[in-house]
Amino acid sequence: MTAAHHPSAVTAARRTHSRAAFAHARHLIPGGVNSPARAFGGVGGEPIFFQSALGQRLTDIDGNTYLDYIGSWGPMILGHRHPRVMAAIERVLTTGTSYGAPTEAESDLAELIIAAVPSIEKVRMVSSGTEAAMSAVRLARGFTRRDRIVKFAGNYHGHVDALLVAAGSSAATLGVPNSPGITEGTARDTLVLDYNEPEQLDDAFRAQGDTIAAVLLEPVVGNMGLVVPTPEFLEAARRLTSRHGALLVFDEVMTGFRLAYGGAQELLGVTPDLTTLGKIVGGGLPLGAYGGRADVMDHVLPAGKVFQAGTLSGNPLAVAAGMATLEELRDTSPYAALDRRGARLEAGFRAAAAQAGLTTWTARVGSMMTTFFQSGPEPVPVTGWKTAGPSDTDRYAAFFWGMIDRGIYLPCSQYEALFFSAAHTDADIDATIAAAVEVMGGMAS
Ligand SMILES: *Cc1c(COP(=O)(O)O)cnc(C)c1O
């Protein structure tokens, strides 16, 4: 896609083991990766293979180290191998890793989630964010006895058939808003509107409000790069769903426990009917969850009739890692410090772009941020997919590889937010800004 910005020969030579590992993996695994966002398709070049991580740092299989601004795409808010999380996992290794039967730890984690997230009165655990979104959609349809789901262009809710329509992140990068294998019938029940456009929601509900089961959205979007909602948009979504008997579902797989302990809904003061969780809730192990109003959740089997199940749901290792992560977040509340460091990073990136004369739009909430590179003379505010989509991805690729050369591991796509952790120090942030000044300065000339 961006052949002009392949990594420089110098740093490519430092990654010969990664290159060989990728060549090998491509014979065995489609595209050499188990999830497309890892393939570096959005920036050209080849993915880096890792061998270990600690705190805020990653080490690749050639022995190079990087400051990590992906954090496994969100889960690692405490940094890698946090002692409290490691100790919790080790305890489980001495008892049992899966029973396919209930454990008390699952109720302990449920209690933590319910206490943290304003909208959640009851919660069901699954194994991924995709599964959480899929299950929430089925529940919304079963509860309302309606078919239609409203989603927003550039919002990603996992690779659920009904939701992989105008999806963001790797779907956006790869240009597969409608994947082959998704039937027209499935796509027909999904209504795609523009984010931050409350009039479109108004029109949709006026025309077909009695067919809409749910409005599903990322309350702060991370999957087309970072996009902040307007209060009017969220207010319209809450008011119209309530008025028309539809459910409001917040996909907080990325924002849950990230933007505040209670997620974006705590930060923004809007309470949905259902919430999906993933990423941080599993502390780096595979765990997702969906929860909300007790009267809705009681429609899930075996309390109710909406089927949803999982052999490894509530897996002891994942539950232990999730609990330790949530307890540490609850006890230490790193959110003010994360926001302060985020403000420092944001100001640094803005200044670097201005100094280099590059047109950019930087959006941030707490420890999530995106700098959109643009090709016009003046920055265009990014409010949805219509303004995120036309970003200058070639410039982003040049920036990405320049930062890799300097040991800074950013998301390998313009359409993914960066994340940092409580382990990142002021010195790390300053080193990142210094690298950005150099790289952007070089891009201007
Ligand atoms: C990552 C993500 C998902 C999918 O979660 P997986 O665990 O990758 O299946 C769903 N929704 C949002 C908002 C996400 O960021």
Side-chain angles (χ1 to χ4, degrees):
M1 189 196 279
T2 50
H5 300 297
H6 276 205
S8 71
V10 178
T11 60
R14 284 197 233 131
R15 287 191 296 275
T16 54
H17 288 92
S18 271
R19 170 162 293 186
F22 185 51
H24 182 56
R26 277 212 279 206
H27 290 297
L28 307 168
I29 300 170
V33 292
N34 279 316
S35 191
R38 302 173 192 173
F40 279 31
V43 289
E46 297 184 351
I48 299 170
F49 279 56
F50 290 99
Q51 59 172 338
S52 67
L54 184 64
Q56 69 278 47
R57 266 176 246 284
L58 302 168
T59 303
D60 72 15
I61 61 173
D62 289 281
N64 303 302
T65 62
Y66 306 84
L67 266 178
D68 182 13
Y69 282 92
I70 296 187
S72 189
W73 303 101
M76 312 313 296
I77 191 169
L78 297 176
H80 296 274
R81 287 198 278 147
H82 187 278
R84 190 166 181 173
V85 180
M86 292 301 103
I89 291 172
E90 279 165 16
R91 276 194 298 277
V92 175
L93 295 179
T94 65
T95 50
T97 59
S98 192
Y99 307 102
T103 57
E104 289 178 295
E106 290 159 81
S107 295
D108 294 340
L109 178 58
E111 254 175 355
L112 273 174
I113 293 170
I114 290 164
V117 184
S119 66
I120 298 187
E121 296 171 352
K122 279 194 176 176
V123 63
R124 174 58 74 79
M125 284 156 214
V126 294
S127 298
S128 71
T130 293
E131 239 188 298
M134 179 187 80
S135 307
V137 164
R138 183 181 303 143
L139 173 58
R141 286 172 165 160
F143 177 78
T144 59
R145 301 189 173 275
R146 298 172 179 179
D147 291 345
R148 203 157 270 154
I149 301 293
V150 173
K151 81 172 287 281
F152 297 91
N155 282 210
Y156 178 66
H157 306 292
H159 64 94
V160 182
D161 277 9
L163 304 176
L164 205 55
V165 180
S169 75
S170 36
T173 303
L174 299 175
V176 284
N178 275 299
S179 164
I182 294 174
T183 64
E184 276 179 30
T186 303
R188 240 194 325 271
D189 284 331
T190 306
L191 202 60
V192 183
L193 305 181
D194 289 312
Y195 199 77
N196 277 330
E197 302 277 352
E199 322 75 60
Q200 291 187 15
L201 260 180
D202 249 321
D203 291 347
F205 272 100
R206 197 169 310 123
Q208 45 200 340
D210 58 348
T211 68
I212 296 171
V215 172
L216 173 60
L217 58 89
E218 292 183 67
V220 170
V221 191
N223 285 295
M224 52 177 151
L226 188 87
V227 174
V228 181
T230 64
E232 296 74 32
F233 173 65
L234 291 183
E235 186 277 324
R238 180 62 283 181
R239 173 172 42 83
L240 291 165
T241 45
S242 296
R243 183 185 301 164
H244 291 270
L247 298 182
L248 179 60
V249 186
F250 276 9
D251 183 345
E252 296 232 38
V253 169
M254 199 176 260
T255 53
F257 308 102
R258 163 69 60 182
L259 301 184
Y261 187 55
Q265 58 196 269
E266 177 193 321
L267 189 73
L268 302 169
V270 180
T271 305
D273 301 296
L274 292 177
T275 298
T276 58
L277 298 169
K279 300 192 168 114
I280 290 174
V281 79
L285 272 73
L287 185 82
Y290 65 105
R293 278 165 45 189
D295 65 312
V296 179
M297 290 305 293
D298 279 337
H299 282 251
V300 178
L301 201 75
K305 294 199 165 120
V306 177
F307 191 91
Q308 183 269 307
T311 301
L312 292 175
S313 292
N315 172 263
L317 278 170
V319 166
M323 269 188 67
T325 299
L326 299 199
E327 285 171 340
E328 180 70 9
L329 290 171
R330 180 196 61 193
D331 297 348
T332 61
S333 193
Y335 299 101
L338 287 170
D339 190 50
R340 192 176 50 73
R341 297 216 171 91
R344 193 180 180 105
L345 187 66
E346 179 185 354
F349 273 34
R350 280 181 197 275
Q355 198 180 316
L358 296 171
T359 308
T360 58
W361 176 263
T362 296
R364 180 189 67 86
V365 180
S367 54
M368 291 171 64
M369 186 174 108
T370 297
T371 293
F372 294 93
F373 288 82
Q374 300 179 333
S375 37
E378 294 296 328
V380 177
V382 177
T383 57
W385 182 242
K386 279 188 201 149
T387 38
S391 297
D392 189 335
T393 53
D394 280 356
R395 280 217 175 121
Y396 183 81
F399 179 62
F400 169 84
W401 285 112
M403 295 297 274
I404 287 283
D405 285 354
R406 288 159 183 79
I408 311 289
Y409 191 71
L410 296 174
C412 50
S413 164
Q414 171 73 90
Y415 303 115
E416 302 274 9
L418 69 77
F419 304 92
F420 59 90
S421 76
H424 288 68
T425 64
D426 285 345
D428 293 329
I429 299 292
D430 289 347
T432 306
I433 293 168
V437 168
E438 268 183 38
V439 175
M440 289 192 198
M443 286 164 61
S445 57

